[in-house]
Amino acid sequence: MHMKTGVEQSVYALVLLNMLPDKAVLSGEAISQQLGASATYFQKLLRKLVTADIITSVPGIKGGFKLKKRPEDIRVYDVYLAVEGQQSLYSSNGILVDMLDLEKEDSCCLLTNLMEEAESSWKAVLKRETIASLSEEMRGERFKDKIAALEEWVSNKMVI
Amino acid sequence: MHMKTGVEQSVYALVLLNMLPDKAVLSGEAISQQLGASATYFQKLLRKLVTADIITSVPGIKGGFKLKKRPEDIRVYDVYLAVEGQQSLYSSNGILVDMLDLEKEDSCCLLTNLMEEAESSWKAVLKRETIASLSEEMRGERFKDKIAALEEWVSNKMVI
DNA sequence: ATAAAGCGGATAAACAATATCCACTTTATA
DNA sequence: TATAAAGTGGATATTGTTTATCCGCTTTAT
């Protein structure tokens, strides 16, 4: 039970896209390079973000990706959902139903309610931060002098 | 990102062991049969529960497993921990460190704090229920007439 | 027209979870 | 005291999921 690395990668990809000026895009290849991710595979992840209406893709030469929503409207939770899908962390295997010889329709499990609550509570925390708040955090004191290089890289790689 | 089925299996195994009278044990084979689990593999899971001091194993003929702690002292969380290990749901891949060219020691990630909070909050819910509370729930109205067969099975399979 | 970008499907590689096998130790009992 | 039935630990196979690659396709600025 471990979160896919694709979630972290996607979040940082969105932080990168959030550094773009209006109308500009970054190519999938450029993004994966900056993230140190496999380019061909990361394209698949970018597609999931497109499907989830988090980013927009522009085909053709001078194409690429940019944010579709405002960064303050993209929660970490939305990214998680887009990348990992909507399946729950827990799903019963119907062991109790078998042990007690219940009807299939009962779909009863002593753990399901508890696990659903736990998951909700977990998700609630992921809804607290957004791409905007993470971007702001990155621009804080701590990385003051390291940000410039990244901003320059974005300027060089972006396409308008 | 999905919880192993071993967690559900282990919880129900413990509920079964909780039906045993004092000093009695159930063999690993009997338990796996009742759970519909692979016997040889489930032995490995039982071992994890032994290592975690949740159950005791008795070797030799007339051997088997029984609870080591009182059922009200075994939280669902403890079972999860025993089966899945103590690794976190999320661990950073150091993408930000690479992007900003930080020192390795910084081990900095915008997501780590958030994810740790989320996980704590998730775990807190798993600490709420115990084998005792789940056993009680199983004995409630809903399964009134289905419990007898299971109790009889336990009586037949147990060894004192 | 062409080159550079995204799209979608098929497939491979890597890894983790599940399952099996076997030689070993332990212990009740005939 | 030999034996049968139980757990133990290691090696290994099977299965499933995640990550990665490849290729032919569409889109669009020049």
Side-chain angles (χ1 to χ4, degrees), chain B residues 49-143:
Chain B
L49 299 177
V50 171
T51 303
D53 278 328
I54 294 173
I55 64 178
T56 303
S57 67
V58 180
I61 196 173
K62 296 190 77 172
F65 299 89
K66 64 185 172 192
L67 295 187
K68 181 166 186 182
K69 294 182 181 178
R70 294 182 308 159
E72 54 268 38
D73 291 336
I74 306 172
R75 297 168 296 182
V76 171
Y77 172 72
D78 300 318
V79 182
Y80 158 77
L81 212 59
V83 173
E84 298 240 5
Q86 75 295 18
Q87 62 173 359
S88 353
L89 300 190
Y90 173 82
S91 57
S92 164
N93 295 98
I95 296 177
L96 187 61
V97 172
D98 288 347
M99 287 207 306
L100 294 183
D101 193 31
L102 307 173
E103 302 306 317
K104 291 281 179 198
E105 288 73 28
D106 283 6
S107 80
C108 168
C109 173
L110 302 176
L111 289 174
T112 298
N113 284 341
L114 184 70
M115 292 299 187
E116 279 174 1
E117 253 193 88
E119 183 167 343
S120 297
S121 156
W122 182 80
K123 287 179 174 175
V125 176
L126 266 58
K127 289 175 184 167
R128 290 218 295 257
E129 298 246 18
T130 66
I131 296 304
S133 68
L134 293 178
S135 295
E136 194 180 351
E137 190 180 336
M138 191 178 71
R139 293 178 176 287
E141 271 306 301
R142 191 163 172 199
F143 313 117

Side-chain angles (χ1 to χ4, degrees), chain A residues 37-50:
Chain A
S38 139
T40 55
Y41 179 57
F42 195 66
Q43 289 277 353
K44 310 287 189 188
L45 294 181
L46 287 169
R47 282 267 66 227
K48 292 188 178 185
L49 298 177
V50 170

Side-chain angles (χ1 to χ4, degrees), chain B residues 141-160:
Chain B
E141 271 306 301
R142 191 163 172 199
F143 313 117
K144 197 80 175 179
D145 47 344
K146 299 286 192 177
I147 287 292
L150 189 56
E151 277 173 336
E152 193 179 329
W153 177 89
V154 170
S155 292
N156 288 338
K157 291 291 187 177
M158 74 183 184
V159 178
I160 299 188

